[in-house]
Amino acid sequence: MIKTRLTQFFGISHLIILAPMTPAAGADLAQAVAEAGGLGLLGGGYGERAWLEAESAKVTRSDVGCGFITWSMAQQPDLLDFAIERHPRVIMLSFADPAPFAPRIKKAGVPLICQVHTVEQALQAADVGADIVVAQGTEAGGHGQIARSTLPFVPTVVDALSKHAPNVFVVAAGGIADGRGLAAALMLGAEGALLGSRFWATQESLIHPNAKAKVVAATGDETIRTSVYDIVRKKAWPDGYTGRLMKNEFIEKWHGREAELRSLQESELVKVEAAAEQGDYDVANVTVGESIRLIGDLPRAADVVRRVTHEAWVQLNKYAAPMETAA
């Protein structure tokens, strides 16, 4: 085992957090990660009440947390109260100012994780009470900003918080799918890693088998940052945020033609929803990041936790031999 402030803070065995992806991170995936000794987070996502309540009802462990897309959850803030009561292990807020909600979380004695994309966001998160900041590089799958890459961004946030709020620690995210990435994150000063795409492609993930198969077969050059699926689904993301997905025919058709897509939104939405039900991912979206080339199988989530941790241990110990004293 590798021990850091993350493992000590939560009393977990492995310094790996499951990204609260919707719909991938349902009850089965979140519980599997927790049972394996990582930190499992249920995907609260946009705050789709029926889905969240149904998956939450399946959670039988007390050590599973929950994460939300903050700006969307704000439209029905009682869901935060539901999550605090049902999953007090930890709440994660991403993609908007956490200040309006942090006091309720902290008053309830629930740990708060905030995902950030700029140093300014990291400092603001610390100021409103975040216990942990997830520094997400633009390589990550799903939504984020076209901002900084993981390698230079993480140590910048670590340095800034070490001066501004030394009790708040950093977890790295974006492009991490194996032990090499986890070891690198630790060398950058992070206390652990949040993994999305690697857990997205596991047996417990609530993702269609056809989509998983596309990821396993990918070469790694297929992703793109785009807003076409947000437009067709009328998801009003704040300025600066796009989603990283695998390229497909739908993206090739509409990326760069967003104004026209808005005028045809309803008819195109029908096509996207039908494709998702049929498992047609030339039209439906596959939401993963640049790490897909590192994903070549569909293991159980517990195997991912153990494998990535072991690989990181091997990498860190490869260079741990005592330095020879200069003559």
Side-chain angles (χ1 to χ4, degrees), residues 52 64 76 88 115 126 237 248-249 282 285 295 301 306:
L52 180 59
V64 169
Q76 41 186 342
Q115 183 163 253
W237 275 85
N248 62 8
E249 292 178 8
D282 286 330
N285 59 296
I295 298 171
R306 289 189 285 264

Side-chain angles (χ1 to χ4, degrees), residues 71-241:
W71 64 263
S72 185
M73 180 270 294
Q75 299 169 13
Q76 41 186 342
D78 60 304
L79 286 180
L80 178 59
D81 297 321
F82 170 82
I84 289 172
E85 179 180 356
R86 186 71 177 84
H87 304 291
R89 173 66 157 165
V90 62
I91 299 293
M92 180 170 166
L93 300 178
S94 304
F95 314 123
D97 183 4
F101 310 102
R104 285 157 59 186
I105 297 169
K106 302 304 294 182
K107 184 178 180 180
V110 175
L112 172 61
I113 300 175
C114 292
Q115 183 163 253
V116 304
H117 307 89
T118 68
V119 172
E120 181 182 7
Q121 289 176 359
L123 299 180
Q124 291 172 343
D127 287 343
V128 301
D131 298 288
I132 301 163
V133 164
V134 173
Q136 185 198 58
T138 191
E139 301 96 322
H143 284 89
Q145 292 189 333
I146 305 174
R148 305 279 294 279
S149 298
T150 303
L151 193 64
F153 182 49
V154 171
T156 303
V157 175
V158 169
D159 291 347
L161 287 178
S162 68
K163 299 174 182 177
H164 184 78
N167 291 331
V168 178
F169 58 89
V170 178
V171 167
I176 302 171
D178 63 14
R180 292 172 295 183
L182 176 56
L186 296 177
M187 292 299 96
L188 297 175
E191 306 284 345
L194 180 139
L195 275 61
S197 299
R198 177 60 277 190
F199 283 122
W200 187 98
T202 56
Q203 294 181 32
E204 294 91 344
S205 169
L206 295 177
I207 297 296
H208 196 286
N210 292 359
K212 294 180 185 180
K214 285 181 72 72
V215 169
V216 170
T219 65
D221 297 322
E222 296 94 333
T223 71
I224 186 173
R225 298 211 72 94
T226 184
S227 60
V228 296
Y229 285 102
D230 296 331
I231 291 170
V232 81
R233 292 193 171 107
K234 288 189 174 181
K235 299 297 185 183
W237 275 85
D239 290 343
Y241 286 95

Side-chain angles (χ1 to χ4, degrees), residues 8-25:
Q8 294 168 0
F9 186 87
F10 287 108
I12 55 180
S13 301
H14 303 296
L15 52 166
I16 293 175
I17 303 176
L18 165 66
M21 307 167 286
T22 303

